[in-house]
Amino acid sequence: MKLKIFISLFVSLLSLTLLAQDTELKVKVSKNKLGLNQRLRIEFSINKQGADDFTPPKFKDFRVIAGPSQSVSQSWINGKVSFSKSYSFILKPKRKGELIIGAASIELNGATINSRMTKIRVLDPVEVPQNPNDPDYIAQQNIHLVAEVSKSRPYVGEGIYVEYRLYVSENVSVYDTSVTEAPQYNGFWNQEIKINGFPVKMGKYNGEDYRYIVLQKALLIPTKTGKLEIDPMKMDIVIGVPTGRADFFGNVITKNVRKEFSSAKKVIRPKDLPLEGKPESFTGAVGDFNFAVSLSKDILRSNESSQIKVAVTGKGNLKLFELPVVETPAELEKYQPERKERVRVTTRGLSGSVSDLYTVVPQYKGKYKIPSVSFSYFNPKTKTYNTLNSEDFYVDVIEGKELIKNNTANNTSVNKKDVVVTGKNFRYIQTKSIFAKAETSTFFKSNLFYLLLLLPLLLIPIGILIAKSNEKRNSDVVGIRLRKAEKLAKKYLSEAQKQLGKKEAFYEALERALHNYLKAKLGIETSDISKEKITQILEQKNVEQQNITQFIDVLKASDFARYTPITDTEMKQEFERAKKVIVQLDKQL
């Protein structure tokens, strides 16, 4: 009996522990930093049903403008149930400084759950327009184009990167973007870093939660010292801004605003490499490298070739310095080196290898020394120069002509010899010329003359056939309209077709294409009106009810599909359905 009581007590304590671990009273604020004359929204939410007796914190440094507003949401996704109950307040600070909002509490199954405390930084009053719902002001407050640089004081030759991010708050939506002015990297060797897609990430900007995407990345290597400026990136962005009004069903009505944004100008001040300890063999390599020299063959016969490979591997400015030159004895004929590069571009810089491949060919029998070479580089992490040396190599030529050395220093006479003709290597200068009459041909009465003469007669019946074919094609009014409609559908759906396989991007492009089509045909901003209003307008244009229903169904499917799992096959089917709907509508509009 005691054992059963002990087991029951243990299970109860374990359940309470798991409940405490899974249950959390979260707190979220719209701004962590604001002006004294601004407002913020704070929301407390719990993810378990049955919670009650919510006790808000004492907002001693804030004035409660509105609240608490209570909301409950529950959803089923793939058989998984999620629940959320929230309490929200609109607050206005009473003073400047770092203000603390205490913890709120709520009761759940007899246990008290507390939220964490939140720090708010209040600054001087900011300039606020008379109409806080002004679309331009809302767009400016909720979207930021930011350039972030990994390092502002690099060494000359040291790689850094610049990343352009577009921060968007949850209060607005972005429908279209276009870069109007790309940044310039004067004074830098630069290489764009490839970005796979544009995934939406969560991050903070000025202490507030934002969604953001990385628009562009570039690797920069300064080539000189001084004040180097990175010009700003400029973009035109179409933004859906809440108007403060709602439609009949309670949905927030938004207004599309086109606004230009610009990132801040960035200033980089590269440092010159230190003069102290700079080796004579230094040619500008900055990074962390390995150095190797290798010989493919060290035992050769005369006129048999061997390769000397000089290779540098590692991370750094691999494309911006010269490799050391290999010196060989005069008896080893050396050819110009072949440069090979295997370099990758990442946010950490250039990495990979560069090498020079020399081909040497011996002419005489003997043993020859290829002296060692040195390679020096500067490591910006340790701020020191490093020098790497190769080994001496020896080439043993076992077969070939003997090298005869003349030790008589005073013997300066030269014995003149006759030129020996061997094959076609050398010829005496010819002293006589023999001229022959050049053969000429006339164009008149030639084969080409008769062919060009008959060619117009052959082209006349071909031209008649082509003209009749075009006349027949142009008389087909139904076919012409169908081809124009299909061409129009491909034009508006081209962006959606590029995004096939990327669910969120595809359905955003699909919805935008349908709105742009109606905007072009009807001359109205369809993104500002509801689906019911679109239905009414199409009925006034005498569009068949079946086509109207199909058009609205595609719009609804685009909204619904963003929050449900969709396969690539279903996206292709939705694309074909949208294409068919545009073709049918274009026949009647």
Side-chain angles (χ1 to χ4, degrees), residues 339-502:
R339 173 61 63 93
K340 291 186 177 180
E341 296 182 353
R342 293 183 179 178
V343 180
R344 300 182 303 276
V345 182
T346 65
T347 54
R348 297 183 179 181
L350 299 175
S351 62
S353 65
V354 293
S355 61
D356 281 346
L357 190 65
Y358 295 85
T359 298
V360 293
V361 180
Q363 300 295 324
Y364 300 97
K365 183 179 178 181
K367 192 170 185 178
Y368 306 100
K369 176 183 176 181
I370 299 176
S372 65
V373 292
S374 300
F375 171 72
S376 300
Y377 67 93
F378 179 78
N379 191 327
K381 292 183 179 179
T382 60
K383 300 180 181 179
T384 58
Y385 289 97
N386 297 277
T387 301
L388 305 175
N389 299 303
S390 68
E391 298 179 352
D392 293 335
F393 289 97
Y394 293 89
V395 176
D396 190 4
V397 183
I398 58 177
E399 292 183 8
K401 295 183 293 183
E402 294 286 346
L403 181 62
I404 300 175
K405 297 182 179 180
N406 188 0
N407 295 326
T408 306
N410 296 326
N411 186 7
T412 59
S413 63
V414 178
N415 297 323
K416 183 178 180 181
K417 294 184 179 180
D418 294 332
V419 176
V420 179
V421 179
T422 57
K424 295 183 179 180
N425 292 336
F426 299 96
R427 290 288 185 184
Y428 287 104
I429 298 174
Q430 189 172 350
T431 57
K432 294 182 180 180
S433 299
I434 300 174
F435 295 96
K437 185 177 180 181
E439 295 183 0
T440 59
S441 60
T442 59
F443 173 70
F444 183 65
K445 293 185 179 181
S446 64
N447 293 335
L448 181 60
F449 171 78
Y450 288 112
L451 179 62
L452 295 177
L453 190 64
L454 296 174
L455 187 60
L457 300 177
L458 297 174
L459 292 177
I460 290 173
I462 296 175
I464 293 173
L465 292 175
I466 294 174
K468 288 184 176 181
S469 177
N470 289 336
E471 184 179 357
K472 182 179 179 181
R473 182 181 176 89
N474 293 334
S475 62
D476 184 9
V477 179
V478 176
I480 291 173
R481 295 196 62 183
L482 181 60
R483 287 191 294 272
K484 287 184 177 180
E486 290 179 350
K487 184 177 180 181
L488 190 66
K490 289 180 180 179
K491 172 186 174 183
Y492 283 100
L493 295 172
S494 60
E495 180 63 26
Q497 189 174 17
K498 294 177 183 178
Q499 302 296 340
L500 277 171
K502 304 173 185 177

Side-chain angles (χ1 to χ4, degrees), residues 4 10 12 20 22 28 46 117 135 137 218 290 300 308 335 341 349 389 406 430 432 451 475 496 534 553:
K4 290 183 179 179
F10 177 76
S12 299
D22 295 338
K28 180 179 178 182
I46 190 165
M117 294 188 295
Y137 173 73
N290 294 316
L300 302 173
I308 303 173
Y335 294 88
E341 296 182 353
N389 299 303
N406 188 0
Q430 189 172 350
K432 294 182 180 180
L451 179 62
S475 62
I534 293 175
D553 287 344

Side-chain angles (χ1 to χ4, degrees), residues 189-295:
W189 180 93
N190 64 88
Q191 178 70 49
E192 186 174 346
I193 301 172
K194 185 178 180 181
I195 302 174
N196 296 324
F198 297 95
V200 180
K201 303 178 182 179
M202 297 301 297
K204 286 189 178 292
Y205 178 76
N206 286 341
E208 300 177 22
D209 291 329
Y210 277 83
R211 301 165 293 169
Y212 75 90
I213 60 173
V214 178
L215 298 170
Q216 184 176 318
K217 268 185 180 182
L219 172 67
L220 308 179
I221 299 178
T223 57
K224 60 181 180 180
T225 58
K227 180 182 177 182
L228 304 182
E229 295 183 349
I230 302 177
D231 293 335
M233 172 189 281
K234 295 182 180 180
M235 297 183 69
D236 273 350
I237 304 177
V238 178
I239 312 152
V241 179
T243 59
R245 297 179 290 112
D247 59 16
F248 179 79
F249 297 98
N251 300 318
V252 177
I253 298 176
T254 60
K255 180 180 180 181
N256 285 357
V257 177
R258 182 179 291 274
K259 189 173 178 63
E260 184 182 66
F261 290 85
S262 175
S263 63
K265 181 183 291 185
K266 291 292 182 179
V267 177
I268 308 297
R269 300 180 184 274
K271 298 179 290 185
D272 206 349
L273 298 177
L275 296 175
E276 183 180 356
K278 181 184 288 189
E280 292 183 1
S281 59
F282 180 73
T283 58
V286 178
D288 189 6
F289 303 106
N290 294 316
F291 176 65
V293 179
S294 59
L295 183 65

Side-chain angles (χ1 to χ4, degrees), residues 106-123:
I106 198 168
E107 300 291 331
L108 178 62
N109 297 332
T112 302
I113 301 172
N114 297 314
S115 68
R116 60 176 176 82
M117 294 188 295
T118 306
K119 182 186 292 186
I120 305 296
R121 188 180 178 189
V122 182
L123 306 175

